[in-house]
Amino acid sequence: MMKNAAENAVEVAGLTVVRGRREVLHGLDFTIPVGQVTGLLGPSGCGKSTLMRVLVGVQAGVTGTVTVFGEAAGAKSLRHRIGYVTQDPSVYDDLSITENLAFFARVLGLDRAEATRCIEAVDLVDHADDVVAQLSGGQRSRASLAVALLGNPSLLVLDEPTVGLDPVLREDLWNKFHELAAAGVAVLVSSHVMDEAERCDRLLLMRDGVFLADGTPTEIKQQAGAPDIEHAFLSIVRGAA
Amino acid sequence: MNPRITAAIAARVLTQLRRDHRTLAIMLVLPCLLISLLWWMFDDLPGNSFDRVGPALLAMFPFIVMFLVTSVTTLRERSGGTLERLLAMPMGKLDFLFGYAIAFGLVAAVQSALAVGISVGLLDLTIVGPVWLLTVVAVADAVLGSALGLFVSAFARTEFQAVQFMPAIVIPQILLCGLFVPRPALPGLLEAISDVLPLSYAVDAMQHLTRSTSTGEVWGDLAVVAAYAVAGLALGAGTLRRRSQ
Ligand SMILES: Nc1ncnc2c1ncn2[C@@H]1O[C@H](COP(=O)(O)OP(=O)(O)OP(=O)(O)O)[C@@H](O)[C@H]1O
Ligand SMILES: [Mg+2]
């Protein structure tokens, strides 16, 4: 299943981010391997979205070294290789799913067949001609995910893609993420729901802009001596206090 | 800049507009109705007063409507995350700006053609100069409105705030453009201010076309309007940061 885990899509050293007047990320060091689903978990406001924005190159106030596939994050040549889902579904409300996908495909220089493929991948074929404003929240976030899949990016950065989805759909999406990882994609998924942790190959547990733990779910649970990630998180937080 | 991406953005904006019937009506039908209303108001007055105010209105509508529509749509794009997504893709800032300018320029061309057609054909507005040039001025004016709208959208957080720029940026230009008081008759300071406001030049161009067949001055005015539009787009580009806080 897991491909060469030593190959890293992302390598970060001493990452510090200042937003407004506050330092939000405080000197992070981490890597994200290809061929795995890496979960970025932590409570609301801890800096997950900020970290993801750094990787795709849209965050200002960044210091430290952040390389993606060997190039500085945000480099022009990387823009074809990264699929990014922002936290709020970023598709056009007044266009249909097909029109949205066709537009982003044109921006990326891809054809309509690729747009259709991505609509199929997120299981929205039945709603392809519906205007996004008339979709449910979950359908809308899947439409946003479909855009990120365009052109088979080698790194997927997904900011809380499963929020508000029913259990069946969440299951489907997680399977999809693992399918992509198995095909060699580096998948980074954030969530503030700890029960999604078990679905990741590897976890980065974050709190207030620092990592509390970095490892497989099993390793983290063992180290903390806790039955699940939620308790592990709590016991690490208490241990640190 | 990439022509494919620019065209994709322009086509998308046009599709969105086509979907939004009310906005389309405001952009295309409302100017015609307002011009007709004005014609009616002046109809019983002695002299041909409509010939004096009509051209100024033809310059004002594209400017106002495009300013409003662009500031709100680009604000939506900024706050809805789609701009962030596009900036993470291989899209240049200029692709974005020109895509919008082309789409709204096209709508403005249709709008102006309708408004000019009604004014000249139905309402007997006298135009001595070439009618097509009138439309060119209106398009430049619309692009100017779009450019300023793009620029101010960077300073608004909500659509309500975006609309608030209208009284600050648009109304002074309407007051000083020569519609109410001919510009040379304004107090010196106000005339000087009106000399640096782009709408004044668009109105001057329109008024000139109603009186004269010579086009030299019109091209001069047009150049000023176009220069402001380009400056507006450049300022707008400055507010589009790939990396933001
Ligand atoms: N535009 C901004 N300007 C200044 N500070 C910001 C901005 N956006 C977020 N922050 C601050 O940065 C910190 C991290 O925010 P971030 O959005 O990365 O959190 P998050 O972990 O994604 O939270 P959530 O789970 O709620 O999405 C927060 O404390 C927030 O107050
Ligand atoms: Mg977030």
Side-chain angles (χ1 to χ4, degrees), chain A residues 18-20 53 57-60 73-74 79-80 84-86 89-92 94-96 99 103-104 106-109 131 144 147-148, chain B residues 4-5 7-9 11-12 15-16 18-20 76-77 79-91 96 100 242-245:
Chain A
V18 177
R19 293 188 90 162
R53 283 168 44 83
V58 296
Q59 179 66 52
R79 288 186 205 137
H80 273 287
Y84 174 39
V85 173
T86 53
S90 40
V91 281
Y92 297 97
D94 40 5
L95 298 181
S96 72
E99 286 166 337
F103 165 65
F104 286 110
R106 270 183 83 190
V107 170
L108 292 166
V131 169
S144 186
V147 175
Chain B
R4 181 196 77 236
I5 299 178
I9 288 169
R12 187 211 82 215
T15 313
Q16 285 179 298
R18 213 177 57 216
R19 200 58 45 86
D20 185 355
R76 255 190 230 160
E77 184 120 36
S79 56
T82 46
L83 179 63
E84 180 169 325
R85 167 167 251 162
L86 283 170
L87 288 172
M89 286 184 174
M91 178 198 74
F96 183 80
Y100 265 91
R242 214 173 269 281
R243 290 178 181 273
S244 62
Q245 278 299 322

Side-chain angles (χ1 to χ4, degrees), chain A residues 45 48-50 87 159-160 190:
Chain A
K48 302 181 295 293
S49 299
T50 307
Q87 187 160 358
D159 202 351
E160 311 213 13
S190 75

Side-chain angles (χ1 to χ4, degrees), chain B residues 162-182:
Chain B
V163 173
Q164 288 165 2
F165 281 107
M166 156 109 182
I169 291 192
V170 175
I171 293 188
Q173 299 204 53
I174 295 177
L175 294 180
L176 296 174
C177 74
L179 176 63
F180 297 99
V181 176

